[in-house]
Amino acid sequence: MPVMSGKRAFLELLKQEGVDTLFGNPGTTELPLMDALAVETGLRYVLGLSEAAVMAMADGYAQASGRLAVANVHVAPGLGNALGMLYDAQKAGSPILITAGQHDQSFTFSEPILWADLPTIARPFVKWSSEVRRIEDLPRAVHRAAKTALAPPTGPVFLSLPADVLGAEADIDLGAPTRIASRLRGDRAAIEAAAELLAAAERPVIMAGDAVAQSGAHAELVALAELLGAPVYPEGIPNTASFPSSHPLFRGPVSRVAPAIRAMLEQHDLLFSAGGDLFTLSLPSPVEAVPGTLSIVHLDSDPWELGKNYAADVAILGDPKATLPELAAAVGERMSPARRGAAQRRLAAAKETAAAERAAVMAQARAEAEKMPIRPLGLWQLIAELLPANAVVVEESLSSAPGLRRLLRSDDPQSFFGLRGGGIGWGLPAAIGVKLAQPDRPVVALIGDGSAMYTCQALWTAAHDRVGVVFVILNNRSYRILKQRTNAMKGHAAQTDRYIGMDLTDPAIDFVAMARALGVAAERASRLDDVGDLLRRALAGAAPQLIEVELDRSFAPV
Ligand SMILES: Cc1ncc(C[n+]2csc(CCOP(=O)(O)OP(=O)(O)O)c2C)c(N)n1
Ligand SMILES: [Mg+2]
């Protein structure tokens, strides 16, 4: 066995696990690693200037590559700064190994500066959280962490790395990675039971969730939806391209409030959730989202999600790509000629409804496109027209989002990534991670002005590492969604038209100057034509570019 330092062993272990990129922000406790990186050619270090940006870059990279991402932060304050974005990564099920340097173990009892019990801080947000105490345990720890992050349901893991472990030398056996085969096929009896219900349903509806996108099961879900003649909605927080948006059965997302979800579900007698969450809501409601008469068939790779909030008549633990073909075949066997005829009629009707929905949004977008200042829907239509078919969109557009998914083409599972956890500031750095994972695809980030300010430091990384993302800042100079929601409370703010802590004015934030200060070329547009010109030019180039769009600040009562 070779004699090796802990710091060298750590980098070798990461390479064994297929890692080629490290996202990080260093401090004293990470210096052993930074020292080892000085002579390392197989790993690229991507520096983020705040830990929130580091974490979200790693998240975007993990989601867009499906591979293990690694983020390295500095002791307790660094980990603390990363936690909001770690929450988002946990909700998205992103396979990320987060490590933090820790003080020398002989030193920690005296409570040195920056020290805290790191695994305890990270634990609520990860699948596994631990500290490596001996250099001999380092291989086992890293392999276990990587295996756990990538095992379904995927998710982040945390390791604290004390300086004495990284600095020690020992004869170490580096061991080898383990991968848990993820194409888990659902239980046969459960598939048969599900097929009985699906084939007998008279008004079925499908919700497509992130597990479909993650397993690359578009074609498999399309086949089942067409067989059933069922419309397909993206799940409540539609953060992935879980169904091809150009398909005639695709419907725009449902809202995140229970009454609207219920109104949709009341038109159906059976809900098939393919890897979707039922339901992450944003506001409490006296109305239940799911009507009592609805049958539920639920397939997911995460047992926690199955029947979490609403009892499933049949719950299948399985990978969508591996399980859907068997389910479709079992349904097919049960489709009598009469049922097939009914499914054909449903298919035709569902296509018509979806086409009418699309036409209505497009007509509204055309009307909005005439207005000044720029309205979100007019902007979406322009962007949807201009983006090439292989573009990837990263979205954190908050109040501007309505209509976007209906207009945007997101036809492959990697073509769209949105905010899952709700902790804003994710989108701008996540887009950098997405572009690093998919360098050959154009990546466009659609980011609210408020959201952009949480992690705007990441622009420097885009410039420094020449990551050619096109950042579109939706500048309505406000936390517009909070104004909408405060207004809906019909209280003092609505009566007085005063919204405390929600205006980003006086001074207005100059995103063009800010981007240029951080090394990213930037322009401002107040007319759609100008947005179009800037976007065309940005897409033609390879450098990062920021377009600040002056959006309408007003909001209609919701
Ligand atoms: C980390 C974090 N802090 C605060 C919030 C609360 N919050 C939700 S939306 C929002 C404003 C978003 O503003 P912007 O990105 O400009 O979008 P707009 O509402 O204007 O469309 C805030 C502050 C949050 N969700 N996450
Ligand atoms: Mg805003």
Side-chain angles (χ1 to χ4, degrees):
M1 289 188 298
V3 174
M4 206 183 275
S5 63
K7 58 190 184 184
R8 166 74 12 225
F10 179 67
L11 299 186
E12 293 302 325
L13 289 162
L14 292 184
K15 286 192 285 183
Q16 273 191 351
E17 293 288 354
V19 173
D20 60 14
T21 307
L22 271 170
F23 299 88
N25 185 268
T28 323
T29 51
E30 289 69 45
L31 296 187
L33 281 184
M34 307 321 285
D35 186 53
L37 282 167
V39 290
E40 172 57 59
T41 51
L43 286 164
R44 159 175 60 171
Y45 186 84
V46 178
L47 174 63
L49 302 187
S50 87
E51 288 85 357
V54 168
M55 200 56 234
M57 284 194 282
D59 186 358
Y61 184 85
Q63 290 195 46
S65 68
R67 291 165 53 193
L68 183 71
V70 180
N72 183 232
V73 296
H74 182 49
V75 260
L79 180 57
N81 286 346
L83 284 186
M85 296 297 105
L86 177 56
Y87 176 89
D88 287 342
Q90 178 193 37
K91 293 297 169 191
S94 298
I96 307 173
L97 167 59
I98 303 109
T99 65
Q102 177 58 291
H103 282 292
D104 190 299
Q105 292 176 86
S106 65
F107 191 34
T108 52
F109 195 79
S110 69
E111 301 193 355
I113 188 167
L114 299 160
W115 176 85
D117 180 14
L118 300 180
T120 303
I121 296 173
R123 191 158 289 125
F125 307 104
V126 294
K127 291 176 75 179
W128 182 55
S129 188
S130 196
E131 186 162 83
V132 185
R133 302 263 162 81
R134 304 180 313 148
I135 184 170
E136 292 79 3
D137 292 329
L138 199 53
R140 193 168 280 138
V142 173
H143 292 315
R144 192 187 293 174
K147 174 214 69 163
T148 303
L150 288 161
T154 57
V157 295
F158 176 79
L159 282 180
S160 161
L161 302 174
D164 52 304
V165 172
L166 294 179
E169 298 219 337
D171 270 352
I172 328 179
D173 177 356
L174 288 178
T178 299
R179 286 292 178 272
I180 297 176
S182 62
R183 293 281 180 231
L184 184 67
R185 292 199 345 248
D187 177 83
R188 185 68 214 172
I191 288 173
E192 306 258 344
E196 288 291 336
L197 291 177
L198 289 170
E202 289 174 0
R203 284 165 290 122
V205 61
I206 295 175
M207 292 199 91
D210 54 3
V212 175
Q214 284 155 6
S215 75
H218 274 189
E220 291 77 4
L221 189 57
V222 165
L224 182 63
E226 289 178 351
L227 179 65
L228 292 170
V232 183
Y233 292 84
E235 62 186 330
I237 299 197
N239 66 308
T240 59
S242 55
F243 196 75
S245 71
S246 302
H247 190 278
L249 284 172
F250 178 77
R251 301 290 303 269
V254 288
S255 102
R256 258 170 238 174
V257 290
I261 296 172
R262 187 183 179 100
M264 184 279 280
L265 291 177
E266 273 173 346
Q267 298 167 39
H268 300 281
D269 62 347
L270 179 139
L271 166 64
F272 174 50
S273 171
D277 91 289
L278 307 177
F279 290 96
T280 302
L281 304 174
S282 54
L283 291 170
S285 167
V287 176
E288 272 296 345
V290 173
T293 51
L294 192 76
S295 300
I296 297 181
V297 174
H298 201 165
L299 164 69
D300 208 299
S301 48
D302 183 355
W304 180 255
E305 291 300 329
L306 294 169
K308 184 175 76 176
N309 292 319
Y310 300 97
D313 294 86
V314 181
I316 311 173
L317 179 63
D319 172 69
K321 194 170 182 73
T323 305
L324 285 170
E326 261 188 68
L327 181 59
V331 171
E333 286 164 15
R334 289 165 175 78
M335 294 293 273
S336 61
R339 282 175 170 176
R340 280 190 193 272
Q344 282 303 317
R345 288 190 291 281
R346 285 196 299 265
L347 181 65
K351 282 181 175 177
E352 243 174 67
T353 311
E357 181 187 71
R358 191 190 305 258
V361 175
M362 289 182 76
Q364 201 191 339
R366 275 195 297 277
E368 300 273 289
E370 302 297 319
K371 295 181 187 162
M372 281 284 286
I374 295 173
R375 306 291 145 91
L377 209 50
L379 179 67
W380 296 155
Q381 188 169 37
L382 173 81
I383 290 176
E385 278 167 12
L386 282 183
L387 288 189
N390 67 338
V392 183
V393 169
V394 179
E395 185 256 335
E396 189 171 280
S397 68
L398 285 296
S399 75
S400 299
L404 174 66
R405 298 302 302 281
R406 188 68 278 191
L407 294 172
L408 206 63
R409 185 170 37 191
S410 48
D411 284 343
D412 74 85
Q414 299 282 56
S415 56
F416 181 88
F417 299 96
L419 175 65
R420 177 60 172 240
I424 60 176
W426 169 87
L428 192 153
I432 295 172
V434 168
K435 179 73 180 172
L436 285 168
Q438 306 214 34
D440 299 331
R441 295 180 72 161
V443 175
V444 175
L446 309 173
I447 313 290
D449 55 328
S451 297
M453 288 310 297
Y454 290 77
T455 45
C456 52
Q457 301 89 335
L459 289 171
W460 178 86
T461 303
H464 181 73
D465 287 281
R466 298 176 177 54
V467 190
V469 175
V470 181
F471 302 96
V472 178
I473 304 296
L474 311 161
N475 193 358
N476 53 27
R477 299 190 190 180
S478 58
Y479 292 159
R480 183 167 168 261
I481 198 164
L482 299 186
K483 287 189 173 183
Q484 289 174 332
R485 292 198 176 163
T486 316
N487 179 276
M489 289 162 63
K490 297 188 173 42
H492 300 304
Q495 276 159 22
T496 58
D497 199 29
R498 291 187 72 215
Y499 296 88
I500 306 303
M502 300 177 197
D503 283 308
L504 306 184
T505 51
D506 191 20
I509 297 165
D510 185 340
F511 283 89
V512 171
M514 182 177 75
R516 289 179 183 163
L518 295 170
V520 170
E523 299 290 343
R524 183 174 295 115
S526 54
R527 298 180 324 126
L528 275 182
D529 284 349
D530 298 335
V531 178
D533 290 345
L534 291 169
L535 189 57
R536 261 185 231 104
R537 235 186 295 153
L539 287 168
Q545 174 91 33
L546 182 141
I547 304 170
E548 178 184 343
V549 179
E550 288 188 23
L551 269 191
D552 186 27
R553 301 194 65 215
S554 66
F555 62 93
V558 283

